[in-house]
Amino acid sequence: MKYALIPLLPFAAFLIIGLFGYWIKERAHWVAVPAVGVSFLLSLSTFFEIANGPPIHVTLYSWITSGAFDVSIGLYVDRLTAAMLLLVTIVSGLVHVYTIGYMHGETGYARFFAYIALFTFSMLMLVMADNFLQLYVFWEAVGLCSYLLIGHWYDRKSACDAATKAFVVNRVGDFGFGLGIMLIFVTFGSLRYDEVFAYSGLMDGQTINLLKPLGGEWLVGTLTVICLLLFAGAVGKSAQVPLHVWLPDAMEGPTPISALIHAATMVTAGVFLVARLAPLYNLAPAAMDVVAVTGGLTAIFAATIALTQNDIKRVVAYSTVSQLGYMMMACGLGAYTAGMFHLLTHGAFKALLFLCCGSIIIALHHEQDMRRMGGLKDKLPVTYWTMVVGSLALAGFPFTAGFFSKDDILVSAWLSGPLGQVLSVVGLLTAFLTAFYSFRLLFVVFWGDSRVGSGGASAGAPPAKMATHADHIHEPSPTMTVPLVMLAILSIATGYFGIPNFISPVLPSPGGGEVHHGGPATIIMLFASAMGIAGIVAAYVVYVRSPMMPQRLAEKWKQAYALSFNKWYVDELYDRTIVKPTVDLANGLWRKVDVAVIDALVNGVASATVLWARSMRLVQSGEVQHYALAMALGAVAILGVYLLF
């Protein structure tokens, strides 16, 4: 029962706030925060149990039974699950506390707490699932919560559009995910993890003819097809290229949700999925190569975009996409432990960076354009120093948590083979770009002269309005600063907790994915540290020592700058090749089918009925002799038919 309470307590909070939110209102946090707090304590207790004992498997009840199809609701907790439970409950708990200050006085305060409690429940059930159908249900549930929370400010068109975009893009990946689960049942006759993993070795060598319906032949390994279909869901949820476009737009939601869902928990579900299914992916090397290459491309691609963005949250959002690419690259190379290690450390420092952005936004009265900031380090000292810690961890600076986890990925990549060596070079270049754009953000926002109220070239509050607030900037309430300090501590401490040793026993590697110590590993670690430090120094030279250099560089490299600033025109490409043709097709079909055929048939039936009714009205004259004549003629007709036949 204790294990079931871990997810059920946040769900109970959702029900209470959802049913009685009209009366609870500004006291909603008194329901949600204790529920998540107790869930964390139970997760911590479970963590210590798992560390000293075998995995825990609890079947709660039989869900669906129909012939050979038998699925139960169950909870499976091993070392990987235990680590994820701590990540979800710690970050969720701190975000709950932070939300008290951030959302104070906002419309929909209780509704917001209800949704984040529902999300916490869904995410916990996702990581504790013991079968694929349960995984899929709560995979979709966290997607629903994401939609609801991105569109929390539904009176803003941009928020509604962003929520719709996230929902639609994720449906593309989830369609493949659903097909993969169906193929698993057809292949194995079961959806339970343990049964599928136990029989997966017997499927090695079995193939599927993908061109059989067309009369051709293209044989592909069954496990390869399954893994690629499941990976489609991970590409959507973890915002990998080419389905990455929804995550930056999701920043339209309140900042606490950016930290909880779009940095530390929901978007990492795809990485968790690949690691959880390591026994399947190890038997599908082609699928693993696809995962690794997709991750490497995503890492460098998103990093190049983050270099030029001016919205403070979008910079951190593209950083999230890039770091998710790192994790996917590691898992694709068989370094599941390194990928999950980075997932856990990243959850701490990326949640910290987003919450720091929230403190800045609140202090500047919802200003998000970095060009209208500057000179804030003395006015927001707690936010500044905690953001320094988060930025150092993101840049992989020595002795921070990010240093250990990122180096594990790069060393594992280099030692995994030729593909891994190419991707490790991509990772080193990405490390330089990551350090550069993260400290670009720090220097532009906190250093130099204040530009608050300067107007600039951006849209936002009128300069006069901003100027009236420039002298009244201060740190937010303790409910917002205390979570920052705690996450800053975790951004360093998680590197020393021995996470790789804890989770590695449940993450089987195909070989070549483990970190080794020695000359090559030391050289890669030194290179990675040097690239990070070089990025920090370059950002300092460009944005502090030579403030006019960014403008000169943008003018000199106009085309490259335009590509980065416009996000490589991927959204425009989708708009022209998919969105507009689909809308045009829908409009054409509406006119030719809906209006010309369906509406015409319906309207024709109605018109015929009216015409018939008008004709029949002529018979109803109201004169008795006419009715008598009609009756006589009718009798004669009936008698005539009788006599003739």
Side-chain angles (χ1 to χ4, degrees), residues 413-605:
W414 182 263
L415 298 175
S416 65
L419 176 61
Q421 290 175 354
V422 173
L423 292 177
S424 68
V425 174
V426 173
L428 287 171
L429 179 57
T430 304
F432 171 80
L433 297 177
T434 301
F436 182 85
Y437 68 66
S438 59
F439 275 83
R440 166 186 176 255
L441 185 152
L442 190 77
F443 292 143
V444 170
V445 172
F446 289 100
W447 290 46
D449 298 327
S450 175
R451 297 176 299 279
V452 176
S454 62
S458 63
K465 179 180 178 181
M466 291 302 301
T468 60
H469 301 303
D471 298 328
H472 303 285
I473 299 172
H474 58 83
E475 289 284 10
S477 64
T479 57
M480 295 177 65
T481 54
V482 170
L484 299 184
V485 175
M486 296 182 69
L487 286 170
I489 295 171
L490 289 173
S491 297
I492 297 175
T494 49
Y496 300 88
F497 287 162
I499 294 174
N501 293 331
F502 179 78
I503 62 176
S504 59
V506 296
L507 293 175
S509 172
E514 298 298 325
V515 177
H516 302 281
H517 299 286
T522 302
I523 293 173
I524 294 296
M525 292 176 70
L526 290 175
F527 263 107
S529 298
M531 295 295 276
I533 294 172
I536 296 172
V537 172
Y540 177 79
V541 171
V542 173
Y543 290 97
V544 178
R545 296 295 298 272
S546 306
M548 296 303 297
M549 188 179 292
Q551 184 176 350
R552 292 197 297 268
L553 291 174
E555 293 174 354
K556 183 178 180 180
W557 303 94
K558 285 184 179 180
Q559 292 182 340
Y561 180 85
L563 276 175
S564 173
F565 184 75
N566 291 288
K567 303 162 289 186
W568 292 80
Y569 298 101
V570 175
D571 282 300
E572 289 78 2
L573 176 64
Y574 284 165
D575 190 57
R576 291 186 179 183
T577 60
I578 298 176
V579 177
K580 286 186 177 179
T582 302
V583 172
D584 291 341
L585 177 63
N587 287 333
L589 291 175
W590 172 70
R591 293 188 181 94
K592 294 179 180 179
V593 178
D594 199 59
V595 175
V597 179
I598 299 176
D599 283 356
L601 286 174
V602 174
N603 294 336
V605 171

Side-chain angles (χ1 to χ4, degrees), residues 327-338:
M327 302 171 205
M328 282 295 187
M329 181 180 76
C331 291
L333 295 172
Y336 303 108
T337 300

Side-chain angles (χ1 to χ4, degrees), residues 217-554:
E217 185 177 72
W218 182 20
L219 299 178
V220 181
T222 303
L223 289 178
T224 299
V225 175
I226 289 174
C227 289
L228 288 177
L229 288 172
L230 296 176
F231 181 60
V235 168
K237 197 70 74 184
S238 291
Q240 300 293 284
V241 172
L243 300 181
H244 67 285
V245 292
W246 69 271
L247 182 56
D249 287 8
M251 298 304 106
E252 291 292 338
T255 301
I257 289 313
S258 301
L260 177 62
I261 293 184
H262 305 126
T265 51
M266 188 193 86
V267 293
T268 62
V271 181
F272 169 79
L273 171 71
V274 176
R276 168 59 74 203
L277 304 184
L280 294 182
Y281 279 91
N282 289 340
L283 297 172
M288 290 186 68
D289 288 345
V290 172
V291 174
V293 172
T294 301
L297 288 176
T298 301
I300 187 79
F301 179 79
T304 60
I305 297 175
L307 293 173
T308 58
Q309 301 305 303
N310 294 313
D311 186 303
I312 187 172
K313 287 176 64 177
R314 283 181 180 266
V315 174
V316 184
Y318 277 109
S319 170
T320 299
V321 176
S322 181
Q323 297 305 302
L324 289 167
Y326 259 113
M327 302 171 205
M328 282 295 187
M329 181 180 76
C331 291
L333 295 172
Y336 303 108
T337 300
M340 287 302 302
F341 183 25
H342 194 54
L343 184 155
L344 296 168
T345 59
H346 174 266
F349 61 74
K350 188 53 62 67
L352 169 62
L353 289 173
F354 266 114
L355 295 185
C356 285
C357 290
S359 295
I360 296 166
I361 292 168
I362 288 294
L364 299 183
H365 298 267
H366 295 279
E367 177 60 64
Q368 294 185 202
D369 195 315
M370 292 161 52
R371 294 170 294 181
R372 307 181 81 176
M373 299 180 186
L376 296 177
K377 67 177 181 177
D378 294 328
K379 296 182 179 181
L380 303 174
V382 175
T383 302
Y384 170 68
W385 286 109
T386 53
M387 198 162 193
V388 167
V389 173
S391 299
L392 288 172
L394 176 60
F397 192 80
F399 309 114
T400 62
F403 165 76
F404 296 106
S405 59
K406 188 176 291 186
D407 282 358
D408 272 5
I409 292 176
L410 295 175
V411 172
S412 299
W414 182 263
L415 298 175
S416 65
L419 176 61
Q421 290 175 354
V422 173
L423 292 177
S424 68
V425 174
V426 173
L428 287 171
L429 179 57
T430 304
F432 171 80
L433 297 177
T434 301
F436 182 85
Y437 68 66
S438 59
F439 275 83
R440 166 186 176 255
L441 185 152
L442 190 77
F443 292 143
V444 170
V445 172
F446 289 100
W447 290 46
D449 298 327
S450 175
R451 297 176 299 279
V452 176
S454 62
S458 63
K465 179 180 178 181
M466 291 302 301
T468 60
H469 301 303
D471 298 328
H472 303 285
I473 299 172
H474 58 83
E475 289 284 10
S477 64
T479 57
M480 295 177 65
T481 54
V482 170
L484 299 184
V485 175
M486 296 182 69
L487 286 170
I489 295 171
L490 289 173
S491 297
I492 297 175
T494 49
Y496 300 88
F497 287 162
I499 294 174
N501 293 331
F502 179 78
I503 62 176
S504 59
V506 296
L507 293 175
S509 172
E514 298 298 325
V515 177
H516 302 281
H517 299 286
T522 302
I523 293 173
I524 294 296
M525 292 176 70
L526 290 175
F527 263 107
S529 298
M531 295 295 276
I533 294 172
I536 296 172
V537 172
Y540 177 79
V541 171
V542 173
Y543 290 97
V544 178
R545 296 295 298 272
S546 306
M548 296 303 297
M549 188 179 292
Q551 184 176 350
R552 292 197 297 268
L553 291 174

Side-chain angles (χ1 to χ4, degrees), residues 102-164:
Y102 190 91
M103 297 296 291
H104 177 71
E106 289 278 356
T107 303
Y109 184 85
R111 172 166 51 88
F112 189 81
F113 270 102
Y115 287 161
I116 57 176
L118 178 62
F119 166 78
T120 304
F121 159 72
S122 301
M123 190 66 197
L124 291 171
M125 288 296 292
L126 186 155
V127 300
M128 297 177 78
D130 72 341
N131 63 80
F132 286 93
L133 185 59
Q134 184 178 335
L135 171 71
Y136 184 78
V137 168
F138 290 101
W139 183 277
E140 296 299 326
V142 295
L144 172 63
C145 293
S146 176
Y147 170 79
L148 295 172
L149 289 164
I150 294 171
H152 175 75
W153 288 318
Y154 54 81
D155 54 337
R156 301 181 184 178
K157 184 179 184 301
S158 58
C160 294
D161 290 344
T164 302

